[in-house]
Amino acid sequence: MTETPNPHMPDADTMTGGMRPIRQAVIAIGSNLGERLNNVQGAVAALADTPEVTVVSVSSVYETVPVGAPEGSRDFLNLAVLIDTTLTVHTLLDRCLAIEDAFGRERGEKNAPRTLDVDLIVVGNRVAQDDRLTLPHPRAHERAFVLIPWLELDLEGEIPGKGYVVDLAQGLDTSGVKRREDLEILL
């Protein structure tokens, strides 16, 4: 899979002199193990420290009921991050996975509790599927814990092939998604 540049948003690559597109991306971050707030704060800080990534905005922190998780799983802290990046989608995915690993993410049982989840939701209007990555995220349109924080950042957000976030969120049960006024993410 190759990247298709957007000629309307070029960015000069200072190493090669080539042009790379600037894309806006939405990343969902969540944690329900360990020091949840420290985990999500650390993920935002790690994204902000990533070369070729600019954090544009960060949503409030939401406490959410786990979806499809084993019985007795602790609630998640979730948030959304809007970034601008010139990274390829696979390089951005690798960075998200490295951030998860740095916070002790263990992979195993599907929907099991985790120290950190850093999911690429959309990267521009990119639609892609290969053995490593599916864009847009295949279940984002069904998840209030993704859509509600995203709406806080972008009322005109859209999931390619699924629709506008505002419309998608209206069809979901949002009762398990509570904004935590007492928690704040620092940039």
Side-chain angles (χ1 to χ4, degrees), residues 158-180:
E158 183 177 5
I159 298 178
K162 300 296 180 184
Y164 289 98
V165 174
V166 67
D167 297 329
L168 295 167
Q170 287 178 1
L172 297 178
D173 176 6
T174 60
S175 62
V177 180
K178 304 291 183 205
R179 186 174 176 188
R180 291 286 305 267

Side-chain angles (χ1 to χ4, degrees), residues 44 54-59 79-83 152-154 187:
V44 171
T54 301
V55 173
V56 174
S57 56
V58 179
S59 75
L79 57 93
V81 180
L82 190 63
I83 66 167
E152 186 180 315
L153 303 177
D154 183 7
L187 281 180

Side-chain angles (χ1 to χ4, degrees), residues 30-46:
S31 174
N32 76 333
L33 277 182
E35 296 295 324
R36 299 175 305 160
L37 184 60
N38 289 339
N39 295 342
V40 296
Q41 174 67 67
V44 171

Side-chain angles (χ1 to χ4, degrees), residues 22 29 43 55 72 97 125 183-185:
I22 298 172
I29 298 175
V55 173
L97 295 173
N125 60 359
L183 300 180
E184 184 178 2
I185 298 297

Side-chain angles (χ1 to χ4, degrees), residues 32-112:
N32 76 333
L33 277 182
E35 296 295 324
R36 299 175 305 160
L37 184 60
N38 289 339
N39 295 342
V40 296
Q41 174 67 67
V44 171
L47 282 170
D49 287 343
T50 302
E52 299 187 57
V53 169
T54 301
V55 173
V56 174
S57 56
V58 179
S59 75
S60 299
V61 177
Y62 290 79
E63 189 147 21
T64 64
V65 174
V67 175
E71 191 172 324
S73 294
R74 187 175 179 194
D75 286 352
F76 274 86
L77 291 184
N78 288 102
L79 57 93
V81 180
L82 190 63
I83 66 167
D84 285 338
T85 186
T86 56
L87 295 175
T88 66
V89 293
H90 285 97
T91 302
L92 187 55
L93 172 66
D94 290 342
R95 180 61 174 157
C96 291
L97 295 173
I99 293 168
E100 289 179 346
D101 290 345
F103 283 84
R105 167 75 185 263
E106 293 182 16
R107 301 189 191 291
E109 181 183 351
K110 186 176 180 173
N111 298 324

